[in-house]
Amino acid sequence: MLLFELRHEHRVALGETWRAWIPLAYAAAMLIAGAVSLALWSRGGRRTLQVGFAAAIAVGVLGLEFHGGAIKGARTALKAWTVPIGKDGGSAPGTLPPPLAPLAFAGLGVLGLLACADGPRMR
């Protein structure tokens, strides 16, 4: 679903910059690699998924920079809480990239790494 949501959210940026294609290409590749890796779980699939989910963290951090940077993004997100009810926040919705949205990829990567972690062994 993240792939479809990204395609919609990046619809304008896809024609403006090659960077908007990075999360789409990653998500499409991970769908294929993920299906194959799950089928081959005990024969290296787990390791392949770990690499793929680590790449998701990298894509998220890179996207955070492309969306304006971590400090600016956090400041922008926190500033929204200071806007009085009934007032606009200074920029129309959709005019700027959502500052912290790329962290969804980083979160997906962390969850995926946890799911693929080698759990404790019973003796």
Side-chain angles (χ1 to χ4, degrees), residues 60 72 103:
K72 182 180 174 188
L103 291 180

Side-chain angles (χ1 to χ4, degrees), residues 63-65 67-70 72-78 96-103:
L64 187 63
E65 187 60 32
H67 277 229
K72 182 180 174 188
R75 197 175 316 134
T76 301
L78 290 172
L96 299 171
L100 302 178
L103 291 180

Side-chain angles (χ1 to χ4, degrees):
M1 292 311 298
L2 187 56
L3 175 63
F4 294 111
E5 176 67 16
L6 271 168
R7 177 59 181 98
H8 174 72
E9 293 298 330
H10 281 190
R11 65 192 178 278
V12 173
L14 289 171
E16 297 172 352
T17 178
W18 61 270
R19 297 180 302 191
W21 287 98
I22 294 171
L24 288 169
Y26 167 82
M30 194 61 175
L31 275 175
I32 296 165
V36 172
S37 295
L38 285 174
L40 302 173
W41 180 260
S42 60
R43 295 188 311 237
R46 175 188 293 196
R47 184 72 180 141
T48 302
L49 278 175
Q50 287 173 328
V51 170
F53 284 123
I57 296 171
V59 168
V61 171
L62 186 62
L64 187 63
E65 187 60 32
F66 290 154
H67 277 229
I71 302 297
K72 182 180 174 188
R75 197 175 316 134
T76 301
L78 290 172
K79 186 179 174 187
W81 290 94
T82 65
V83 177
I85 295 173
K87 302 286 184 187
D88 74 18
S91 63
T95 58
L96 299 171
L100 302 178
L103 291 180
F105 265 99
L108 176 67
V110 169
L111 290 175
L113 286 174
L114 288 172
C116 294
D118 199 15
R121 292 201 162 74
M122 302 295 286
R123 291 184 184 216

